[in-house]
Amino acid sequence: MNQDTAVTPAEPQGWRRAGRRPSLPEAYRSLKIPKHASRFRKFLAFVGPGYMVAVGYMDPGNWATDIAGGSQFGYALLSVILLSNLMAVVLQALAGKLGIVTGRDLAQACRDHYSKPVNYALWFLCELAIAACDLAEVIGAAIALNLLFGIPLVYGVILTAIDVLLILFLQNKGFRYLESFVIALICVIALCFGAELFLSQPAIGEVMKGFVPTQEIVTDPSMLYIAIAILGATVMPHNLYLHSSIVQTRQFDQTETGKRQAIRFATLDSTIALFFALFINAAILIVAGAAFHTTGHAEVEDIGEAYHLLAPLLGTGLASVLFGVALLASGQNSTLTGTLAGQIVMEGFLNLRMPAWLRRLITRLIAIVPAVIVTALYGEKGTTDLLILSQVILSLQLSFAVVPLVQFTSSKKKMGAFANRPWLAAIAWTITVLIVALNGYLLVETILG
């Protein structure tokens, strides 16, 4: 462990408890930033965390809502995907700023601010959310293995445990290797859906109109429900914890100037990465609209059904193969970042240290065990119900991550000169209220439905 790795975060005012060990100590400040280089080269040194965060915005949990929205309503809900992405840009920028300024990730910040009972409650809810999110990603990867290679779902779920070994192997070589692997898989997903867009030949004019909000989204109950589902599935709580931690892997100057530069580059990194996620989410909906809605298959909602219909509708088996490969890459990428987020949350909330491999193994088992049991007992129908349950749990937890984040970054006592300006605080709280209200509505409707 080098000297930078052992650094304890600086202690600003306004915290109930003093900061202790840094987040992800094995990677903390491990990547150097060139001091006498151009701004572009410095920016390149910051590129990486934003793409690891963006993975959560294109995970298998988003696919079902995008497919349902495209097949039922064509391109009309593209405006909702765009709005969701803009909200995510703001929240992830705040998460990065929290980590850079305070030296705390969001979990550590909650531990150092709230009382122990509140802290333990937040930790428990967050662990549930990560397990639920991981569950969706495990099942997504298993469905992809089943569609592409005919591997039974139970075995596919078990195979996803191998990613723990992959994480350990890559991170032992350096955090940059892990980031590079994630970026490579994002490129695979983007290339697959770029090809899908070419094969589906959507009407460009209609697609562009879809990015403009219409009154029908609010007045049509069925469209409103899917729109809220898209919003609810976009902002994942574990991404906020993840981003506030991994921005601290950069060895930026611990001065006001150095932190401002780090915030600027980290925000640019996450914003660009999230627009890759916007492209992929929009592409899924556009392909569903072109392939299903325009051909009268408005009832398609299931990932497996979409896979099997793409080939005959688009006239080539390549369409289904590309869809399956993208789903597999998405599931694998999401399990990598979700498992890492699990480590951050346990260490941050509880200040509990255990070997990284053990924490990641526990995170994987929490997702794999229920998935194996349900898949073995109930088959594909059971995994679908489990996916729905996972999204309900995510909706419950999101508010408990977003509210503290906006609260902390708006506090002058905690952030000093870096506190959110009034206009930014107003935007952030508006987004928070909207997310809380919409996820609450989605939760109630899902339970009643």
Side-chain angles (χ1 to χ4, degrees):
M1 182 178 290
N2 59 38
Q3 186 175 1
D4 287 313
T5 306
V7 170
T8 299
E11 183 56 33
Q13 298 297 317
W15 298 100
R16 178 178 297 196
R17 300 179 185 86
R20 301 178 190 177
R21 293 180 63 184
S23 184
L24 289 181
E26 67 273 18
Y28 180 74
R29 292 178 62 80
S30 60
L31 298 175
K32 293 183 177 181
I33 307 298
K35 291 186 177 181
H36 305 292
S38 65
R39 287 187 177 183
F40 181 68
R41 281 196 61 195
K42 288 183 178 180
F43 166 67
L44 289 180
F46 277 92
V47 170
Y51 291 87
M52 295 187 71
V53 167
V55 164
Y57 295 87
M58 59 183 86
D59 73 340
N62 290 315
W63 286 47
T65 53
D66 292 336
I67 291 171
S71 63
Q72 290 185 43
F73 307 109
Y75 313 123
L77 294 179
L78 285 172
S79 58
V80 178
I81 292 179
L82 177 60
L83 175 62
S84 303
N85 201 79
L86 293 175
M87 292 164 56
V89 166
V90 174
L91 293 176
Q92 292 300 161
L94 296 184
K97 182 167 73 169
L98 177 70
I100 290 168
V101 174
T102 68
R104 292 168 167 83
D105 59 51
L106 182 56
Q108 291 173 328
C110 289
R111 181 195 68 203
D112 293 341
H113 175 78
Y114 296 112
S115 65
K116 284 189 176 181
V118 172
N119 184 58
Y120 286 133
L122 289 175
W123 166 72
F124 178 73
L125 289 170
C126 190
E127 288 287 359
L128 276 181
I130 289 178
C133 190
D134 215 19
L135 186 62
E137 292 149 2
V138 165
I139 292 174
I143 290 173
L145 290 170
N146 175 259
L147 295 174
L148 288 171
F149 308 111
I151 298 174
L153 286 174
V154 173
Y155 299 125
V157 167
I158 296 172
L159 282 174
T160 59
I162 295 174
D163 70 355
V164 175
L165 302 177
L166 184 60
I167 290 176
L168 291 171
F169 175 75
L170 290 174
Q171 195 162 339
N172 285 340
K173 285 184 167 293
F175 202 78
R176 200 50 146 171
Y177 284 91
L178 188 60
E179 291 176 345
S180 299
F181 181 77
V182 166
I183 292 172
L185 286 182
I186 289 176
C187 291
V188 169
I189 300 169
L191 288 172
C192 287
F193 271 101
E196 293 277 23
L197 288 173
F198 175 78
L199 292 172
S200 61
Q201 297 182 345
I204 302 301
E206 294 299 314
V207 169
M208 298 309 295
K209 289 181 183 177
F211 285 103
V212 179
T214 62
Q215 186 177 356
E216 189 182 7
I217 296 175
V218 179
T219 56
D220 184 336
S222 57
M223 188 180 290
L224 177 62
Y225 182 76
I226 293 183
I228 293 175
I230 291 173
L231 280 168
T234 297
V235 183
M236 296 292 186
H238 76 277
N239 282 331
L240 302 175
Y241 294 96
L242 179 67
H243 197 197
S244 60
S245 174
I246 58 179
V247 291
Q248 299 179 54
T249 58
R250 270 50 182 181
Q251 206 176 105
F252 53 86
D253 290 337
Q254 297 294 304
T255 61
E256 182 171 335
T257 301
K259 288 180 178 180
R260 288 197 183 279
Q261 185 181 67
I263 291 169
R264 185 165 59 251
F265 287 147
T267 300
L268 185 59
D269 170 47
S270 63
T271 301
I272 293 173
L274 286 171
F275 273 94
F276 271 94
L278 170 64
F279 165 77
I280 290 169
N281 273 327
I284 296 172
L285 188 143
I286 292 169
V287 169
F292 307 138
H293 183 75
T294 58
T295 58
H297 294 79
E299 74 288 349
V300 177
E301 296 181 358
D302 181 71
I303 291 175
E305 186 181 6
Y307 171 87
H308 290 297
L309 280 176
L310 277 175
L313 290 177
L314 298 184
T316 172
L318 181 62
S320 291
V321 173
L322 290 172
F323 183 88
V325 169
L327 178 61
L328 181 59
S330 173
Q332 188 61 47
N333 234 355
S334 301
T335 53
L336 288 172
T337 56
T339 304
L340 189 60
Q343 177 188 346
I344 291 164
V345 164
M346 173 170 275
E347 293 181 353
F349 274 109
L350 305 182
N351 198 37
L352 178 65
R353 303 293 168 173
M354 62 175 64
W357 66 268
L358 180 59
R359 178 63 192 101
R360 289 164 189 157
L361 183 60
I362 292 172
T363 304
R364 303 306 302 123
L365 289 175
I366 289 173
I368 287 174
V369 170
V372 169
I373 294 173
V374 173
T375 304
L377 293 177
Y378 302 106
E380 189 172 342
K381 176 63 169 61
T383 59
T384 301
D385 292 340
L386 208 54
L387 275 173
I388 294 172
L389 176 61
S390 72
Q391 298 310 301
V392 172
I393 295 173
L394 280 173
S395 297
L396 272 172
Q397 162 59 17
L398 184 56
S399 302
F400 295 101
V402 174
V403 171
L405 173 66
V406 178
Q407 178 187 356
F408 297 155
T409 54
S410 299
S411 169
K412 288 186 178 181
K413 287 185 177 180
K414 291 178 170 59
M415 302 291 289
F418 298 94
N420 298 334
R421 295 182 179 180
W423 64 268
L424 179 56
I427 292 174
W429 280 116
T430 300
I431 290 173
T432 302
V433 171
L434 186 62
I435 286 176
V436 171
L438 293 180
N439 276 282
Y441 177 82
L442 179 64
L443 177 65
V444 171
E445 287 296 309
T446 302
I447 292 174
L448 293 179

